[in-house]
Amino acid sequence: MFEDSLVESGGRLKTKSKYWAIGAFILNGGILLILILIPLIYPEALPKQAQAMLLAAPPPPPPPPPPPPPTPVHVVKIQSEMMNNQLTAPSKIPKVIKQITESAAPPPSSGVAGMGGDPNGAAGGVMGGILGGIGSGSAPVVKAAPPRKIAVSSGVMSGNILVKTQPQYPAIAKAARIQGTVILQATISKTGTIEGLTVISGPPMLQAAALDAVRSWRYKPYLLNGEPVEVGTQINVVFSLGG
């Protein structure tokens, strides 16, 4: 019986100690939580010294260092040696005096010799020759060179045609009933002959016949300010089955 009583008592004690431990843990946790929450809910409960430490502002930062003192500027006064447009003696005598060497003067040119005794100047002179030319009225006349090539419209150049060969209508183009206008870009020389000839547009079957015919054309020389010049112009060759 004593053994049974010991076993029974041991089981009861273990069960009670387990519940007591849980209850004690909950109680202690609740007390600790209350102690933490009371200062947050009621800050008046804190000591005044602690409140003063919490509400006190942090000390201000230290002031910046003072700026460095300005560097003194030495003003150098330059005294002019000119007074009333006259050169005065220097106040100090320099220790070393530098000598300035001048190069030899250039020899006189032959053109200046015309300024001697003859008022009209010698043949090789400069001043006399210029003045003499102005006074005598025999100044050279400068003529502008004519341009090498100018552009003239096809209507103007059509009036200068001397020889105009009619093109031969190609048989294959006539059989295909092809007609139209071949536009050529031509360069006419100073003597009126065709020097450069290129096709701008037109039916391909008619271009060769137009080139062969226009190469034999001749024009009167085109004059500009009385001088013959080269001319760039367009030439229209018309092919028509009804003509």
Side-chain angles (χ1 to χ4, degrees):
M1 290 182 64
F2 181 73
E3 184 179 356
D4 294 338
S5 63
L6 290 175
V7 172
E8 292 177 359
S9 62
R12 287 194 298 271
L13 288 173
K14 288 181 179 179
T15 304
K16 291 180 180 179
S17 63
K18 178 180 179 182
Y19 292 140
W20 276 105
I22 296 173
F25 179 76
I26 294 173
L27 180 62
N28 292 332
I31 294 171
L32 182 60
L33 183 61
I34 291 171
L35 293 176
I36 295 173
L37 292 177
I38 285 175
L40 299 177
I41 299 174
Y42 301 100
E44 298 85 6
L46 291 173
K48 293 183 178 181
Q49 185 177 3
Q51 291 183 2
M53 292 178 62
L54 292 175
L55 297 177
T71 305
V73 179
H74 298 283
V75 179
V76 179
K77 185 177 180 181
I78 301 175
Q79 186 176 1
S80 176
E81 296 181 357
M82 297 293 294
M83 182 178 295
N84 297 328
N85 295 329
Q86 294 183 357
L87 184 64
T88 60
S91 58
K92 295 181 181 180
I93 299 176
K95 295 181 180 180
V96 179
I97 299 176
K98 296 182 179 180
Q99 295 183 357
I100 301 174
T101 58
E102 297 182 355
S103 58
S109 60
S110 59
V112 185
M115 298 175 62
D118 190 359
N120 293 328
V126 176
M127 296 298 295
I130 295 175
L131 296 176
I134 296 175
S136 60
S138 59
V141 179
V142 179
K143 294 179 64 176
R148 296 185 60 185
K149 183 179 178 181
I150 61 173
V152 182
S153 65
S154 59
V156 174
M157 292 306 298
S158 62
N160 290 355
I161 297 177
L162 297 177
V163 178
K164 184 177 182 180
T165 305
Q166 295 297 328
Q168 296 293 329
Y169 212 115
I172 186 171
K174 186 180 292 186
R177 307 294 295 177
I178 296 175
Q179 59 184 353
T181 302
V182 179
I183 301 176
L184 305 176
Q185 180 66 35
T187 299
I188 303 173
S189 67
K190 297 179 181 180
T191 59
T193 58
I194 302 294
E195 289 190 348
L197 199 61
T198 57
V199 178
I200 298 178
S201 63
M205 289 186 179
L206 304 175
Q207 293 177 4
L211 291 172
D212 293 341
V214 173
R215 285 192 183 98
S216 61
W217 289 12
R218 295 293 179 270
Y219 289 82
K220 290 189 298 183
Y222 189 84
L223 302 179
L224 180 64
N225 297 329
E227 297 290 336
V229 293
E230 289 186 356
V231 173
T233 186
Q234 288 186 0
I235 299 175
N236 300 330
V237 182
V238 181
F239 291 85
S240 177
L241 295 173

